Amino acid sequence: MANIAAQRIKREFKEVIKSEEVAKCAIKLELLNDSYTELKGEIAGPPDTPYEGGNFVLEIRVPETYPFNPPKVRFITKIWHPNISSVTGAICLDILKDQWAAAMTLRTVLLSLQALLSAAEPDDPQDAVVARQYKENLEMFKLTAKHWTNVYAGGPFVNSDCDDKIKRLIDMGIEEHQARVALSSYNWVLERATEQLFS
Amino acid sequence: MEESMTTSQGGESDMECSDNEFYDYYNSNDDIDIEQIDPRNIDPEYFEYNCLLEEQVDRLLNETVETLSNNLQIPPSLAKVLLHSNQWNINEVTKKFNDNSTQTLIAARIEPDAPPSSLLLTRLSSYVYCSVCATLQHFENFHNLSCAHMFCNECWTMHFEVQINQGISTGIACMARDCIVLAPEDFVLKHLQRPNMREKYQQFSFQDYVKSHPFLRFCPGPNCSIVVHSKDIKAKRATCNQCKTIFCFKCGCDYHAPTDCHVIKKWLTKCADDSETANYISAHTKDCPKCHICIEKNGGCNHMQCYNCKHDFCWMCLGDWKSHGSEYYECSRYRENPNIAHESVHAQAREALKKYLHYYERWENHSKSLKLEEQTLEKLRSRINQNVMSGLGTWIDWQYLFTAANLLAKCRYTLQYTYPYAYYMEGGSRKELFEYQQAQLEAEIENLSWKIERAETTNRGDLENQMDIAEKRRTTLLKDFLDE
Ligand SMILES: [Zn+2]
Ligand SMILES: [Zn+2]
Ligand SMILES: [Zn+2]
Ligand SMILES: [Zn+2]
Ligand SMILES: [Zn+2]
Ligand SMILES: [Zn+2]
């Protein structure tokens, strides 16, 4: 079985390298070991989304039963998105679960994830806090996602208001990421974030 | 048992069926007794059913498959898929098929909803590329389902083995992207050589077929393979003739009259949640809320799909995933921050808790009593044994005491299950009547229990009188409140 998995990954790897998406720098795939079981994926944040200009790294683990079972994929780069856990990077996407088909490829997966960044599905959330913000306060969601893209994925949009508030919390002895999570979860209301952190 | 099965076959083969005939035929057993007193009127728990062995179920299913296969002139394996996806209602499938065969085959996932692309059918050389294993092979090595997606035999075999190892059998689909065409039994078996795989596949699909058949229910007893068959799909008491397990035919759980199937489920979930919420949440395995199979959580995602019944549910609250579209946050937030509670709500919650505890204590108490009374029965047995040894009567003379103890257990069991019923009942005169009858039953049961515990000093006639009263109270309550 492992034989087919390695054979497929080898082939897919070549395919992705030659693909037009790679030429456009939209997706990237990198082998991490010789047994073709661990790969690093990269997708560019799609234009006209809060993720634009960011570069998102993915951990891809190929199970022994690949391609009869889906690859295990999660975000390494921290991201603010309703269908991706802001804590673990776990992804809620049907093709990575029961909608997987053996004829699909890693390229399909990377492109589907990129599509997920363009079109979130807040009714099938992975991160409940993010999903709620998305539904109740879309502007706040966009601002937060852009800020995370800037900080973690190298996106170009600097938000000094966010940075200031985080600095205030850091000054109170809170660790930076923890401060960002608290502020993001409470719509950047400093008082509420502080309350939550110290309660 | 054998007889009723023969009857049903006769009925099916020469049926030219309207829906009415379908129901008439399924109730045909009643005709014989029409002049006599209908047992249903005397015994609210009356239930007609058979206990079948695996071979008998196989025969029952295969006969239905053959009939449909002949009626529609389609291969048996496709007839099986059609029946499985239509709750084994042969008349309905036949009608659907005659109305629109294409649509029926598409709905059952036997045919693709778009005609296969002609590109896939043209071969340029005798070598074909398998997109799953990424190799070029001779076309004779390839097979496809009705959707024309071709894959090599080795890949089909591996696909089937991987799926079967995950407990999937009747639901295995094609390997192509976005293709939902199902692999019928003969296609799967053709690609399975290993005997243990074939056996597993047949075992899993047998389970699927029984579960999709409204008239069949697996006996829930441990390691029991009996299947109970009844045409009366009601929350009635079925007793397995092999392992003696008693269960509700409709939901397959412990028998729960007078409470409804869904109410008892709600109640049991509530009891489990409130007693050990913490353990429950942190556990890595939980039971699927629908089919109760054990599911392991091995990823971060809280949206779970049961590999067995495909039910989508929430890992945290075990609620239906569909209802989580808008309420998900409430679900996760409560578990994460149990301290957030408003004062006014607090008072309400206390009141609700008080009410719940009232019913729960009684429910739990009767359950414990049932267990204690089992011990009483054991002690009784040894005392009677001593009596018999020392010449005080024979076992037959003392038999009435065991009858009494069994009746007590039956009555107390019903009483236990009246508490969830009452808990969810709306206030009003009907609830008053129910609680009145419940109180009466409770009183008579405690009387009976008292007398049995003092068996040797109780007059036999007195005890039998008490048995009669208790059972009458039980029957009255069930007559008034069961199946309403
Ligand atoms: Zn192949
Ligand atoms: Zn197909
Ligand atoms: Zn049994
Ligand atoms: Zn039931
Ligand atoms: Zn999910
Ligand atoms: Zn939930």
Side-chain angles (χ1 to χ4, degrees):
Chain A
M1 244 182 229
N3 189 26
I4 289 194
Q7 197 168 302
R8 261 281 300 260
I9 296 295
K10 247 183 254 178
R11 176 97 189 195
E12 288 186 41
F13 188 67
K14 278 190 212 148
E15 223 171 58
V16 172
I17 299 290
K18 281 186 288 183
S19 72
E20 52 178 315
E21 293 89 15
V22 165
K24 285 188 291 184
C25 301
I27 63 171
K28 226 166 134 182
L29 198 59
E30 206 177 291
L31 278 170
L32 293 184
N33 63 6
D34 296 336
S35 53
Y36 299 93
T37 54
E38 277 173 46
L39 294 94
K40 190 176 110 176
E42 250 178 75
I43 53 177
D48 304 318
T49 69
Y51 311 103
E52 183 170 6
N55 210 22
F56 298 88
V57 178
L58 299 150
E59 173 191 272
I60 303 171
R61 284 164 191 264
V62 180
E64 216 184 305
T65 49
Y66 184 83
F68 304 99
N69 278 328
K72 292 183 169 46
V73 185
R74 73 179 183 96
F75 275 81
I76 297 288
T77 308
K78 294 202 182 306
I79 183 167
W80 192 254
H81 186 287
N83 307 105
I84 302 158
S85 166
S86 59
V87 182
T88 62
I91 304 162
C92 189
L93 183 65
D94 56 359
I95 65 153
L96 292 176
K97 295 180 202 168
D98 56 306
Q99 294 303 306
W100 171 257
M104 287 182 183
T105 62
L106 294 179
R107 182 172 161 264
T108 330
V109 171
L110 293 180
L111 294 177
S112 301
L113 285 172
Q114 208 169 32
L116 186 67
L117 295 190
S118 308
E121 287 182 42
D123 286 336
D124 192 11
Q126 172 68 33
D127 195 307
V129 177
V130 184
R132 195 182 74 138
Q133 190 181 63
Y134 185 96
K135 289 173 106 172
E136 290 176 0
N137 195 341
L138 188 63
E139 285 312 308
M140 191 58 72
F141 162 79
K142 283 183 184 167
L143 180 153
T144 310
K146 255 188 199 177
H147 170 72
W148 281 54
T149 304
N150 167 241
V151 176
Y152 297 114
F157 303 101
V158 178
N159 187 322
S160 51
D161 180 49
C162 295
D163 292 338
D164 288 349
K165 283 176 178 161
I166 289 167
K167 186 153 186 312
R168 293 268 303 273
L169 288 178
I170 293 173
D171 290 343
M172 289 185 237
I174 305 289
E175 185 270 322
E176 180 186 332
H177 180 65
Q178 203 188 352
R180 182 167 293 112
V181 170
L183 285 161
S184 300
S185 306
Y186 289 96
N187 294 335
W188 299 90
V189 178
L190 192 58
E191 292 72 30
R192 290 194 56 201
T194 318
E195 200 179 297
Q196 191 259 330
L197 285 166
F198 290 98
S199 69
Chain B
M1 177 158 65
E2 280 302 305
E3 207 172 42
S4 72
M5 272 168 50
T6 328
T7 321
S8 60
Q9 266 343 114
E12 270 164 21
S13 50
D14 45 37
M15 220 165 359
E16 269 167 36
C17 30
S18 74
D19 282 353
N20 277 340
E21 276 172 6
F22 177 67
Y23 288 109
D24 285 345
Y25 139 65
Y26 277 118
N27 292 324
S28 62
N29 286 352
D30 303 352
D31 299 354
I32 320 150
D33 298 311
I34 229 157
E35 294 305 313
Q36 300 163 11
I37 309 157
D38 189 342
R40 264 156 266 226
N41 293 336
I42 309 165
D43 180 5
E45 293 175 295
Y46 177 82
F47 184 49
E48 238 173 61
Y49 63 95
N50 302 313
C51 294
L52 306 183
L53 298 167
E54 230 174 279
E55 306 89 80
Q56 291 173 302
V57 179
D58 256 333
R59 210 182 314 146
L60 183 95
L61 297 177
N62 285 335
E63 279 164 358
T64 317
V65 169
E66 259 169 54
T67 310
L68 187 70
S69 161
N70 289 333
N71 287 356
L72 306 184
Q73 295 297 304
I74 55 170
S77 70
L78 296 189
K80 210 166 189 177
V81 179
L82 270 182
L83 284 163
H84 180 54
S85 63
N86 286 278
Q87 289 82 47
W88 294 83
N89 189 330
I90 188 162
N91 293 38
E92 206 183 289
V93 191
T94 311
K95 190 174 169 296
K96 274 192 199 168
F97 192 87
N98 290 335
D99 283 354
N100 187 342
S101 59
T102 319
Q103 201 43 53
T104 309
L105 291 173
I106 292 172
R109 295 168 60 184
I110 293 171
E111 298 273 353
D113 59 1
S117 149
S118 56
L119 265 176
L120 291 160
L121 299 172
T122 50
R123 254 183 298 106
L124 294 175
S125 74
S126 49
Y127 282 84
V128 182
Y129 177 70
C130 175
S131 62
V132 169
C133 60
T135 58
L136 211 55
Q137 293 179 50
H138 196 269
F139 79 90
E140 278 173 353
N141 254 349
F142 282 75
H143 275 114
N144 58 275
L145 296 167
S146 64
C147 53
H149 296 127
M150 307 225 311
F151 301 100
C152 78
N153 289 335
E154 200 192 356
C155 284
W156 281 119
T157 302
M158 291 214 186
H159 176 51
F160 295 146
E161 291 191 355
V162 166
Q163 297 286 309
I164 294 163
N165 280 330
Q166 288 168 11
I168 302 164
S169 56
T170 56
I172 304 179
C174 172
M175 289 187 279
R177 186 177 183 182
D178 297 328
C179 182
I180 58 162
V181 172
L182 293 174
E185 206 170 88
D186 60 343
F187 188 87
V188 176
L189 289 174
K190 197 166 71 186
H191 288 94
L192 291 178
Q193 272 76 46
R194 291 202 272 168
N196 70 324
M197 274 295 159
R198 295 174 70 89
E199 200 179 297
K200 254 191 191 174
Y201 173 75
Q202 273 158 329
Q203 192 190 325
F204 289 148
S205 44
F206 178 76
Q207 285 172 4
D208 283 2
Y209 295 137
V210 170
K211 283 175 191 162
S212 70
H213 201 303
F215 300 158
L216 299 176
R217 213 67 80 235
F218 275 113
C219 166
N223 303 319
C224 182
S225 57
I226 289 291
V227 173
V228 174
H229 175 259
S230 174
K231 289 155 186 167
D232 197 13
I233 314 163
K234 290 205 179 117
K236 293 290 174 105
R237 178 174 55 206
T239 309
C240 173
N241 65 0
Q242 197 146 305
C243 72
K244 308 295 171 210
T245 298
I246 295 170
F247 62 99
C248 164
F249 180 73
K250 197 173 177 185
C251 69
C253 298
D254 285 350
Y255 182 60
H256 50 70
T259 309
D260 277 349
C261 297
H262 72 274
V263 173
I264 195 65
K265 225 155 265 168
K266 211 159 65 171
W267 171 256
L268 292 173
T269 312
K270 183 175 175 55
C271 295
D273 270 3
D274 290 1
S275 61
E276 43 173 34
T277 312
N279 297 341
Y280 211 63
I281 298 303
S282 62
H284 285 292
T285 60
K286 285 182 185 179
D287 291 352
C288 166
K290 201 169 177 193
C291 74
H292 305 294
I293 206 161
C294 188
I295 300 209
E296 197 183 347
K297 187 167 163 48
N298 46 22
C301 186
N302 278 308
H303 174 182
M304 303 298 290
Q305 190 186 50
C306 172
Y307 66 84
N308 181 47
C309 73
K310 297 285 171 196
H311 179 55
D312 287 290
F313 64 93
C314 164
W315 180 260
M316 286 184 286
C317 70
L318 295 180
D320 192 323
W321 191 260
K322 281 187 218 104
S323 69
H324 272 63
S326 49
E327 295 151 13
Y328 182 79
Y329 187 68
E330 287 314 308
C331 162
S332 67
R333 179 186 170 102
Y334 178 72
R335 306 289 183 196
E336 281 166 12
N337 303 315
N339 294 330
I340 298 177
H342 302 288
E343 278 302 312
S344 55
V345 178
H346 194 65
Q348 282 174 21
R350 271 182 65 153
E351 192 47 43
L353 183 66
K354 249 172 76 185
K355 178 189 166 188
Y356 165 66
L357 285 177
H358 169 91
Y359 292 98
Y360 180 75
E361 275 165 16
R362 282 154 186 80
W363 155 267
E364 187 59 20
N365 189 41
H366 287 302
S367 160
K368 282 184 187 138
S369 297
L370 265 173
K371 286 188 193 99
L372 289 174
E373 279 159 358
E374 258 171 52
Q375 294 170 14
T376 310
L377 185 62
E378 276 315 304
K379 282 182 210 147
L380 195 64
R381 204 185 300 277
S382 68
R383 285 212 305 274
I384 291 175
N385 195 25
Q386 280 174 4
N387 286 350
V388 173
M389 301 287 261
S390 49
L392 287 170
T394 65
W395 276 103
I396 292 169
D397 294 331
W398 295 104
Q399 185 58 44
Y400 76 97
L401 277 179
F402 290 108
T403 317
N406 282 330
L407 182 90
L408 172 64
K410 192 163 131 188
C411 288
R412 193 179 290 288
Y413 189 88
T414 301
L415 179 61
Q416 186 192 347
Y417 281 84
T418 60
Y419 280 99
Y421 188 96
Y423 176 75
Y424 290 108
M425 213 174 174
E426 267 176 46
S429 59
R430 219 174 132 63
K431 182 167 187 178
E432 276 166 34
L433 176 67
F434 183 81
E435 293 196 318
Y436 171 75
Q437 294 197 1
Q438 183 187 41
Q440 298 240 301
L441 175 62
E442 185 154 20
E444 300 308 344
I445 284 173
E446 298 313 335
N447 281 341
L448 182 60
S449 179
W450 193 87
K451 284 176 177 157
I452 290 173
E453 275 174 23
R454 291 150 187 83
E456 288 100 329
T457 56
T458 303
N459 173 286
R460 176 169 173 177
D462 194 18
L463 182 67
E464 282 175 343
N465 190 32
Q466 188 59 47
M467 285 163 66
D468 196 43
I469 295 172
E471 175 61 7
K472 277 216 178 79
R473 294 269 186 244
R474 193 182 79 90
T475 319
T476 307
L477 185 141
L478 289 179
K479 251 189 209 163
D480 289 352
F481 293 93
L482 190 58
D483 262 345
E484 295 261 344

